[in-house]
Amino acid sequence: MKLVKVYVTLKDSVLDAQGEAIKSAINTMGYDKISDVHMGKYFELKFANDYQELENDVDKICDDLLANPNIETYRYEITEAE
Amino acid sequence: MKLVKVYVTLKDSVLDAQGEAIKSAINTMGYDKISDVHMGKYFELKFANDYQELENDVDKICDDLLANPNIETYRYEITEAE
């Protein structure tokens, strides 16, 4: 099995309103040493082992489904899993 | 700066309806070698460098704010950032 871990985050130029809200909530909880919060999405995709075109296809899946290329970027890592 | 990367995912015993929907969408796109999809949340928290109680406090922030301990688990890694 191949386990692909995909991280989707907002582009730096896009206001991360959720992150700001979470930062303010953390401040309200009494933690004042936090300087920045960003929120994103995390996906784990499992594929069959004998997958030749894996990287190509993961790129396409991210571009077309998991991330909105207008406002988000993604990165991923491919690992082995049982 | 300390950069804490937090990954929040559903417990294995909880049905991941979003993951199932994404898997089915990926199948519809023509990729049939995908066997499993899980969706979660991803947070990046930046803290001041001289933070003694960092791990303790990140645990509390995750338990009380970022994750729902009834249905979700979290893990995190602490890295250095500029």
Side-chain angles (χ1 to χ4, degrees), chain A residues 38-55:
Chain A
H38 289 286
M39 185 175 175
K41 288 175 282 185
Y42 171 62
F43 301 91
E44 289 181 347
L45 313 176
K46 271 190 195 162
F47 289 93
N49 233 337
D50 58 334
Y51 198 154
Q52 299 302 317
E53 299 286 309
L54 184 59
E55 285 201 37

Side-chain angles (χ1 to χ4, degrees), chain B residues 31-79:
Chain B
Y31 307 107
D32 55 0
K33 288 201 171 170
I34 191 153
S35 64
D36 210 7
V37 177
H38 289 287
M39 184 175 174
K41 288 175 281 185
Y42 170 64
F43 301 91
E44 289 181 348
L45 313 177
K46 271 190 194 161
F47 289 93
N49 233 337
D50 58 335
Y51 199 153
Q52 299 302 317
E53 298 288 307
L54 184 58
E55 286 201 36
N56 264 342
D57 285 357
V58 170
D59 276 325
K60 278 187 230 149
I61 289 169
C62 289
D63 280 326
D64 295 347
L65 183 70
L66 302 183
N68 174 351
N70 294 318
I71 58 169
E72 293 171 327
T73 56
Y74 62 85
R75 63 191 168 80
Y76 58 84
E77 55 202 49
I78 297 174
T79 60

